[in-house]
């Protein structure tokens, strides 16, 4: 079984141009952790490295200090840009949690609905938080991909 997930987007003006956004490794949830994957956009990491490199050059930092600055920048970007895909065994549902979309000062959890046909996924819906979560924020159909 392949444990890699590729998340891509199409260019809005050219549907033949696909850009990979993230490639997290999936892990099986356990009784200790419901985390399936951490999704960190590549662009956020690249921007953090680029900005910290510019600061390192401007301040003439040595190699060790430059690497420390880059590491700190990536960690900071991850805290703001990375989402967690989790499995809730009680509700038997997947949730996508993003740290900057806050609901009462806590990260918002977006329920995910998967529609399947003959055991194969046909559509994925990321739903708005709420009770009951029924409003799709993003809907992906495998028939149109």
């Amino acid at each position: 079984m392949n444990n890699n997930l590729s998340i891509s987007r199409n260019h809005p003006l050219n549907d033949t141009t696909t850009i990979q956004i993230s490639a997290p490794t999936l892990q099986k949830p356990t009784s200790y952790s419901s985390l399936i994957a951490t999704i960190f956009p590549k662009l956020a990491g690249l921007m953090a490295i680029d900005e910290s490199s510019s600061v390192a050059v401007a301040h003439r930092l040595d190699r060790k200090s430059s690497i420390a600055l880059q590491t700190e920048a990536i960690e900071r970007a991850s805290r703001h840009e990375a989402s967690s895909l989790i499995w809730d065994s009680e509700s038997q549902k997947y949730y996508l949690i993003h740290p900057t979309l806050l609901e009462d000062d806590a990260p918002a959890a977006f329920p995910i609905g998967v529609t399947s046909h003959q055991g194969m996924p046909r559509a994925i819906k990321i739903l708005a938080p709420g009770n009951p979560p029924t409003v799709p924020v993003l809907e992906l159909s495998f028939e149109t991909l």
Side-chain angles (χ1 to χ4, degrees):
M1 180 179 152
N2 186 348
N3 289 339
N4 294 322
L5 174 68
S6 179
I7 301 171
S8 302
R9 67 178 281 275
N10 286 355
H11 189 282
L13 301 176
N14 180 356
D15 60 1
T16 60
T17 303
T18 302
I19 301 166
Q20 187 181 46
I21 297 171
S22 184
T25 300
L26 301 176
Q27 54 196 40
K28 187 175 181 174
T30 66
S31 58
Y32 303 107
S33 174
S34 59
L35 181 69
I36 293 175
T38 299
I39 302 167
F40 181 54
K42 286 182 178 183
L43 185 56
L46 293 172
M47 287 176 63
I49 290 170
D50 186 52
E51 290 173 7
S52 61
S53 294
S54 296
V55 170
V57 168
H59 293 279
R60 299 179 185 215
L61 298 179
D62 60 32
R63 181 170 168 77
K64 186 176 179 180
S65 298
S66 296
I67 291 171
L69 185 64
Q70 287 179 343
T71 301
E72 182 182 312
I74 291 169
E75 289 171 355
R76 189 173 44 252
S78 181
R79 284 193 302 272
H80 289 84
E81 299 296 333
S83 297
S84 298
L85 179 61
I86 63 165
W87 170 252
D88 180 14
S89 58
E90 287 183 26
S91 68
Q92 298 287 297
K93 293 185 179 184
Y94 294 96
Y95 290 91
L96 184 69
I97 298 176
H98 194 279
T100 58
L101 302 174
L102 299 178
E103 187 176 282
D104 298 327
D105 294 326
F110 292 82
I112 298 175
V114 179
T115 305
S116 61
H117 178 69
Q118 297 178 344
M120 297 299 293
R122 302 305 294 160
I124 297 174
K125 291 181 184 179
I126 299 176
L127 306 166
N131 197 7
T134 56
V135 179
V137 174
L138 179 63
E139 192 167 350
L140 307 169
S141 172
F142 289 95
E143 295 171 4
T144 59
L145 294 180

